[in-house]
Amino acid sequence: RGYTLKKEGSQYRIKNFTGLIVKNNVWYNHSSCKGGNSLDFLIDIEGIKFLDAVKILTENEVSSIPSIIRIRY
């Protein structure tokens, strides 16, 4: 997993993604008019399911995921 970023002024453009920029830890895709945080990126851009995305971001520390999330998913 990894992306090449190109600095453009105060933001970064993600190489090979038309219109996708990152600024202040938030991404925005001008092509789809969607944006968000790291969790949203994994779900919307990489197509990862919510719980799997949470596990990636918490480095598989399932115990750090609130029990209500585990129950619902």
Side-chain angles (χ1 to χ4, degrees):
R1 183 177 325 275
Y3 295 92
T4 302
L5 300 174
K6 180 182 177 189
K7 186 163 176 69
E8 293 182 355
S10 64
Q11 63 191 19
Y12 293 86
R13 184 166 306 277
I14 299 178
K15 189 175 179 179
N16 299 326
F17 282 90
T18 305
L20 206 152
I21 59 154
V22 177
K23 182 178 180 179
N24 298 327
N25 288 330
V26 177
W27 64 273
Y28 186 77
N29 187 343
H30 291 281
S31 301
S32 66
C33 297
K34 285 185 168 184
N37 57 29
S38 353
L39 182 61
D40 299 318
F41 185 87
L42 291 174
I43 294 168
D44 294 337
I45 302 299
E46 293 201 3
I48 297 172
K49 292 182 180 180
F50 174 80
L51 188 55
D52 293 331
V54 171
K55 287 179 181 178
I56 289 169
L57 293 173
T58 60
E59 297 177 346
N60 288 315
E61 292 291 328
V62 179
S63 61
S64 65
I65 301 170
S67 61
I68 190 165
I69 293 174
R70 287 196 304 261
I71 292 168
R72 293 181 69 203
Y73 292 90

